[in-house]
Amino acid sequence: MSNTWKIYILAIISFLVGTSEYIISGILDNIAHTLGITLAAAGQLITIFSLVYAIFTPILMALTARMDRRKLMMYSLFLFVIGNILAYVLPGYGWFIVARVMMALGAGIVVVTSLAIASKIAPEGKQGSAIATVVMGFTASLIIGVPIGRMIAEAFGWKSVFGAIALLGLLAMMVLYFILPHIEGDRPVPLSKQFSLFRKRKVAIGLSITFFWLGGYSIVYTYLSPYLLTISGISDKLLSGFLLIFGIASLVGSKFGGYSTDRRGVSFTLIGGMVLHIIMLVLLSIVTNSYFGVLIILILWSFAAWSTGPTQQYHLATIEPEFSGVLLGINQSMMQLAMAVGAGVGGIFVEKVSLASITWIGALGVAIAMIASLIASRTNAKQKSSNRKEIIQ
């Protein structure tokens, strides 16, 4: 099998992992009803997954840095599969939390290891494309995995989604066992050296953009299904279709973000996308009982939100070029932390205020990210001006 096909298989595995994380938002109402818990409590299942992913992935990757990548992939995928099996067979909210923790521990290592393997087996000069392919698999879980998961949940019950992911994960393990070569691990970068980057002002500002942008997004996205059903007035039959269109818009937005960054620059793309992001969240709270109106807002919201993704990745990679790989890894953890905090904050407002309030709180989070982007833009402009003066002198 060619290495190109191996990379596509890694992308499919990344899709499975992404689906296991994002699917909760698509079936939140079903989980809450079946387990007899509140929407806020069900939403914390995303918080738990993201927190475990964010905190333990860099630690586990540092501890296993020297391990053969093929062996590490098999072990972590097995742990991920076990987590999904437990979610399928064990009853109750408590056991489901245990299952989510196991999924997250395996998922974080699977994604990072998949990216590392893809870059190493890709042809010379194609490493970037290989990494993008694996990332696209993860993104596709939002586009395809969530709406398909919702359909499966409606037909066979929400637990069947995790049973299906477990079966596909086992199949993936068998395929990887035969097709992946033995790949040596990397020289570890000490965690102390990684965390020392946080002391640099421009790095801290850059990572804060990720935190508040994705945190604001997560506050609303976590509770999107019940919000559309209860507040927006969308019928249950149309929900899967709306989620699918929402996901497609995120893919288009991501592509546009990369294109706009190349043509118009980081600042224009980040700030422009966040302005549209904020406007759409506010409009979502105003427009109700209009299928067409809500759909247009969802499309523009998803487009704007995910146009920020590739731009922010590029932004962080250029802040400290010699540590670009480390920064991008930290950014992955920051994204998961933002998802966790967003889901947690959203749950508090759903429970203590109202479901309708989350769009305004989400918009506030994105507004803070936009202010951080403006500060970063001004800092970069001053630095460039200072560099020009030094060259002239």
Side-chain angles (χ1 to χ4, degrees), residues 218-368:
S218 178
I219 287 171
V220 186
Y221 182 74
T222 299
Y223 301 93
L224 182 58
S225 291
Y227 187 96
L228 292 177
L229 291 169
T230 308
I231 308 299
S232 299
I234 303 302
S235 71
D236 190 62
K237 292 180 180 179
L238 293 176
L239 183 58
S240 297
F242 272 52
L243 292 175
L244 177 60
I245 295 170
F246 182 88
I248 293 171
S250 73
L251 179 60
V252 176
S254 181
K255 287 288 187 182
F256 176 82
Y259 172 82
S260 179
T261 301
D262 291 337
R263 292 299 183 95
R264 303 299 297 272
V266 170
S267 296
F268 175 87
T269 308
L270 279 182
I271 296 168
M274 289 179 193
V275 168
L276 183 59
H277 191 160
I278 293 166
I279 292 171
M280 290 306 111
L281 287 179
V282 172
L283 286 178
L284 187 61
S285 67
I286 297 171
V287 178
T288 58
N289 298 309
S290 169
Y291 289 175
F292 180 75
V294 172
L295 182 59
I296 294 300
I297 291 169
L298 286 177
I299 290 171
L300 292 176
W301 170 34
S302 184
F303 175 89
W306 288 102
S307 69
T308 303
T311 311
Q312 177 63 356
Q313 295 273 13
Y314 175 80
H315 176 216
L316 287 167
T318 55
I319 288 177
E320 293 284 339
E322 65 273 26
F323 293 108
S324 61
V326 173
L327 268 178
L328 290 176
I330 292 174
N331 190 52
Q332 288 295 314
S333 290
M334 185 60 71
M335 290 175 73
Q336 292 298 327
L337 182 62
M339 294 286 283
V341 173
V345 170
I348 292 171
F349 276 87
V350 167
E351 200 164 65
K352 303 296 184 182
V353 185
S354 68
L355 181 59
S357 68
I358 58 174
T359 54
W360 294 93
I361 306 305
L364 177 61
V366 180
I368 296 172

Side-chain angles (χ1 to χ4, degrees), residues 17-24 46 49-50 100 138 336 339:
V17 170
T19 299
S20 74
E21 176 175 6
Y22 292 131
I23 188 57
I24 296 295
I46 294 177
F49 186 105
S50 298
R100 292 293 285 173
F138 198 81
Q336 292 298 327
M339 294 286 283

Side-chain angles (χ1 to χ4, degrees), residues 180-194:
L180 280 187
H182 289 282
I183 301 172
E184 290 185 7
D186 299 317
R187 187 176 179 180
V189 178
L191 285 173
S192 59
K193 192 171 184 180
Q194 294 185 36

Side-chain angles (χ1 to χ4, degrees), residues 27-172:
I27 57 176
L28 201 66
D29 53 320
N30 292 341
I31 292 174
H33 176 74
T34 304
L35 297 181
I37 57 177
T38 64
L39 284 175
Q44 300 318 302
L45 293 166
I46 294 177
T47 302
I48 291 164
F49 186 105
S50 298
L51 273 178
V52 171
Y53 189 119
I55 294 169
F56 289 98
T57 297
I59 296 172
L60 292 174
M61 291 307 300
L63 292 174
T64 59
R66 297 188 186 278
M67 185 182 291
D68 178 88
R69 300 294 93 175
R70 177 174 175 268
K71 185 182 293 185
L72 180 60
M73 189 71 171
M74 297 299 293
Y75 287 159
S76 56
L77 193 52
F78 178 72
L79 181 61
F80 172 74
V81 167
I82 292 298
N84 279 278
I85 291 174
L86 291 180
Y88 177 67
V89 300
L90 295 178
Y93 183 64
W95 282 113
F96 196 34
I97 289 176
V98 172
R100 292 293 285 173
V101 169
M102 293 185 68
M103 283 183 222
L105 289 172
I109 305 175
V110 167
V111 172
V112 177
T113 306
S114 294
L115 292 170
I117 292 174
S119 66
K120 290 187 176 184
I121 67 176
E124 188 64 34
K126 298 285 187 180
Q127 288 88 349
S129 297
I131 291 172
T133 299
V134 176
V135 171
M136 190 67 72
F138 198 81
T139 306
S141 65
L142 178 65
I143 301 166
I144 303 171
V146 173
I148 288 180
R150 176 79 190 189
M151 293 175 190
I152 293 173
E154 290 292 338
F156 305 105
W158 64 266
K159 278 182 170 285
S160 63
V161 175
F162 297 99
I165 291 173
L167 285 174
L168 292 173
L170 287 171
L171 178 61

